[in-house]
């Protein structure tokens, strides 16, 4: 069957050497169109981006013949700005950082990691959470409990126990046993050895659950029985709102 020459292919693998490429390069990055130079793209020879345009090409082209990169196009402009003028972006830092990691542009990665946003996340917050036992697993457990209780409901709640020290954990054990006897699920965080407080951890929990797309709030949980101390010192109710 013959194919009319009027119909262009949706995309094709680039063949041949890139040494013959025009110094002006047209790109389609996730649907966003860019025009730049080959030398700009290859500015950092050790980067993945430079490798895409060095030697035997591994990129496909779109129907207009532009090189196609299947990444978020919105943030590629910040990558280009850095390659052109060494300008470190001040907007969308977290997203640009992800793209810098993907393209493996080491100088940009290092400069972004020195920014307050990335430094605070990587060095301060993540290092703290790494000292909270089973933190990530507990976040997932909270979500599973909330989803299980969401049937035919607008909201569902999860009781969380947060203890910073071994002494606090011992004080809470009777209350945890009481809640368990009442068949109430409790997710326990801590203890940990780090400076941040219980309120800091609560903020982290809310941030990380919201980052997964959930609408959530929390408040002190006042128990009806089984507590020989102020329950709101360690127990909190996280409320998931579904609609």
């Amino acid at each position: 069957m013959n194919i009319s020459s009027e119909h262009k292919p949706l995309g094709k693998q680039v063949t041949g050497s890139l040494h013959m490429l025009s110094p002006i390069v047209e790109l389609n990055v996730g649907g966003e169109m860019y025009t730049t130079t080959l030398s700009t793209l290859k500015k950092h020879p050790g980067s993945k981006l430079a490798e895409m345009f060095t030697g035997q090409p591994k990129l496909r082209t779109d129907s207009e013949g532009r090189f196609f990169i299947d990444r978020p196009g919105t943030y590629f402009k910040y990558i280009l700005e850095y390659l052109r003028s060494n300008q470190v972006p001040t907007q969308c830092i977290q997203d640009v950082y992800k793209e810098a990691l993907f393209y493996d542009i080491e100088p940009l990665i290092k400069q972004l990691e020195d920014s307050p946003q990335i430094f605070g996340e990587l060095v301060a917050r993540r290092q703290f959470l790494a000292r909270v036992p089973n933190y990530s697993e507990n976040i997932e457990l909270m979500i599973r409990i909330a989803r299980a209780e969401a049937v035919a409901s607008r909201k569902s709640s999860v009781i969380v126990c947060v203890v910073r020290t071994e002494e606090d954990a011992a004080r809470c054990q009777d209350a945890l046993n009481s809640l368990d006897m009442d068949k109430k699920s409790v997710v326990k965080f801590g203890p940990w050895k780090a400076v941040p407080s219980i309120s800091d951890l609560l903020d982290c929990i809310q941030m990380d659950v919201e980052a997964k797309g959930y609408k959530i709030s929390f408040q002190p949980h006042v128990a009806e029985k089984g507590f020989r101390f102020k329950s709101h010192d360690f127990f909190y109710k996280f409320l998931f709102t579904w609609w």
Side-chain angles (χ1 to χ4, degrees):
M1 181 176 66
N2 293 326
I3 300 177
S4 172
S5 60
E6 296 180 358
H7 296 286
K8 296 182 179 180
L10 293 178
K12 60 182 180 179
Q13 187 76 30
V14 180
T15 57
S17 173
L18 278 165
H19 293 299
M20 304 301 294
L21 272 182
S22 166
I24 308 300
V25 180
E26 292 188 347
L27 302 172
N28 176 346
V29 185
E32 299 282 342
M33 310 307 165
Y34 294 94
T35 302
T36 186
T37 65
L38 191 59
S39 60
T40 295
L41 296 171
K42 296 169 65 175
K43 184 174 181 179
H44 297 285
S47 70
K48 182 177 179 180
L49 183 61
E51 291 178 359
M52 290 179 181
F53 295 92
T54 301
Q56 185 70 22
K58 300 176 182 179
L59 294 173
R60 301 185 69 88
T61 58
D62 65 13
S63 60
E64 299 297 324
R66 293 172 292 231
F67 289 104
F68 179 73
I69 302 176
D70 193 14
R71 294 294 296 179
T74 303
Y75 310 115
F76 190 72
K77 65 180 179 181
Y78 300 109
I79 300 294
L80 274 184
E81 285 177 4
Y82 177 77
L83 294 175
R84 288 167 174 162
S85 60
N86 290 324
Q87 179 179 339
V88 179
T90 57
Q91 299 176 332
C92 308
I93 300 296
Q94 298 281 356
D95 294 304
V96 177
Y97 180 66
K98 292 177 183 177
E99 297 310 297
L101 289 173
F102 173 79
Y103 294 114
D104 195 22
I105 304 173
E106 191 65 30
L108 178 56
I109 292 171
K110 290 181 178 178
Q111 290 185 67
L112 288 173
E113 287 179 348
D114 284 337
S115 69
Q117 297 93 324
I118 303 299
F119 180 87
E121 176 67 18
L122 294 180
V123 178
R125 199 176 85 91
R126 288 193 189 179
Q127 289 296 319
F128 159 53
L129 295 178
R131 301 184 184 188
V132 180
N134 304 314
Y135 177 80
S136 297
E137 293 84 350
N138 283 343
I139 293 291
E140 295 300 327
L141 178 58
M142 284 179 63
I143 292 172
R144 289 199 299 272
I145 293 172
R147 291 174 68 93
E149 296 182 359
V151 178
S153 301
R154 183 175 184 181
K155 298 181 180 182
S156 57
S157 62
V158 179
I159 300 174
V160 169
C161 175
V162 184
V163 289
R164 184 175 175 182
T165 67
E166 295 287 353
E167 292 77 10
D168 291 340
R171 292 177 65 196
C172 291
Q173 194 56 52
D174 287 344
L176 288 170
N177 293 338
S178 176
L179 289 167
D180 184 58
M181 291 179 62
D182 290 340
K183 297 183 179 180
K184 293 183 179 180
S185 299
V186 181
V187 180
K188 178 175 170 287
F189 288 84
W192 63 87
K193 294 180 180 180
V195 173
S197 65
I198 286 177
S199 63
D200 293 326
L201 182 65
L202 292 170
D203 288 339
C204 287
I205 295 171
Q206 183 171 11
M207 288 171 60
D208 289 328
V209 174
E210 288 180 340
K212 295 179 180 293
Y214 296 92
K215 185 177 180 181
I216 189 174
S217 61
F218 66 88
Q219 62 189 34
H221 174 65
V222 180
E224 298 176 358
K225 61 179 181 178
F227 289 71
R228 293 179 292 182
F229 52 87
K230 294 181 179 179
S231 60
H232 56 75
D233 288 341
F234 307 107
F235 287 82
Y236 298 84
K237 178 180 292 186
F238 278 78
L239 194 65
F240 288 72
T241 301
W242 301 102
W243 51 273

